Amino acid sequence: AQSVTQPDIHITVSEGASLELRCNYSYGATPYLFWYVQSPGQGLQLLLKYFSGDTLVQGIKGFEAEFKRSQSSFNLRKPSVHWSDAAEYFCAVVEAGTGFQKLVFGTGTRLLVSP
Amino acid sequence: NAGVMQNPRHLVRRRGQEARLRCSPMKGHSHVYWYRQLPEEGLKFMVYLQKENIIDESGMPKERFSAEFPKEGPSILRIQQVVRGDSAAYFCASSPSAGGLGDTQYFGPGTRLTVL
């Protein structure tokens, strides 16, 4: 079965600094990969997704992610973090063989932004 | 364009009672997914429904949990005889009628269930 690993439970970044959140997946073929953000007390919002093609994907709010098949990674990046980016970030992959978008989520990384 | 609506936002039940969670998908969406988020964990898939059909319920506990998405009205997740371990946030998501692997799921704000 597919799985997603987000090795960092918490990350603290200074406002204006760059950010990279790690995501590793296990999957046999080309995966469908997603990054979602969850603000406190809110539902999840899609930041970006990757299916095929260009391995560098641009998303909303200035985020981007790079798919690296050799490393089984899909890390999320932002060049300059804003205080409003403080939230929990989830990486997800579509489980293979189901015929629909059955998402498998990582355990999340909580981002704290310091002034 | 209203997003995915869930109600109630917070629900408190005593052990043994029933919990009913409602989800109204975005307008024009006929695919609904339910997920459960336990404290300090990621979301776990529970069930996928289309109008009047359960397509995949592989993530649903075998007992006490059921889901429906009638022709008219919201999707309902029902938990009978709740236990403390059912305390979690329950999220609903909807997607457009295509229902393909490349679709975007739009999430509601969740219902936070607390079982006393």
Side-chain angles (χ1 to χ4, degrees), chain A residues 5-6 9 16 24 26 33 36 42 46 48 60-62 69 91 93 95 114:
Chain A
T5 302
Q6 294 182 249
I9 298 174
N24 293 95
S26 68
L33 292 159
Y36 282 87
Q42 302 297 314
L46 180 69
L48 47 80
I60 62 171
K61 303 185 179 185
R69 183 187 300 278
C91 183
V93 66
E95 185 169 307
S114 60

Side-chain angles (χ1 to χ4, degrees), chain A residues 5-62:
Chain A
T5 302
Q6 294 182 249
D8 303 305
I9 298 174
H10 298 100
I11 281 187
T12 300
V13 174
S14 299
E15 190 168 14
S18 63
L19 168 71
E20 182 168 29
L21 301 181
R22 295 185 291 167
C23 172
N24 293 95
Y25 63 90
S26 68
Y27 197 93
T30 299
Y32 288 70
L33 292 159
F34 304 78
W35 274 101
Y36 282 87
V37 60
Q38 183 181 29
S39 298
Q42 302 297 314
L44 278 70
Q45 181 182 22
L46 180 69
L47 287 175
L48 47 80
K49 56 187 178 182
Y50 171 78
F51 300 143
S52 63
D54 193 347
T55 56
L56 186 62
V57 181
Q58 300 298 319
I60 62 171
K61 303 185 179 185

Side-chain angles (χ1 to χ4, degrees), chain A residues 10 32 34 36 38 40-46 49 51 88 90 94-95 98-108 110, chain B residues 9 33 35 37 40-45 48 55-56 58-59 91 95 99-110 112:
Chain A
H10 298 100
Y32 288 70
F34 304 78
Y36 282 87
Q38 183 181 29
Q42 302 297 314
L44 278 70
Q45 181 182 22
L46 180 69
K49 56 187 178 182
F51 300 143
E88 186 137 27
F90 292 96
V94 173
E95 185 169 307
T98 59
F100 68 96
Q101 200 184 76
K102 182 178 181 180
L103 292 175
V104 176
F105 284 88
T107 51
R110 188 174 300 276
Chain B
R9 294 291 305 275
Y33 311 77
Y35 295 84
Q37 184 179 30
E40 306 301 322
E41 293 189 16
L43 279 72
K44 296 284 196 299
F45 169 82
Y48 164 48
I55 307 302
D56 187 302
S58 57
F91 290 94
S95 68
L101 296 180
D103 274 352
T104 295
Q105 291 185 29
Y106 295 86
F107 282 79
R112 280 150 183 85

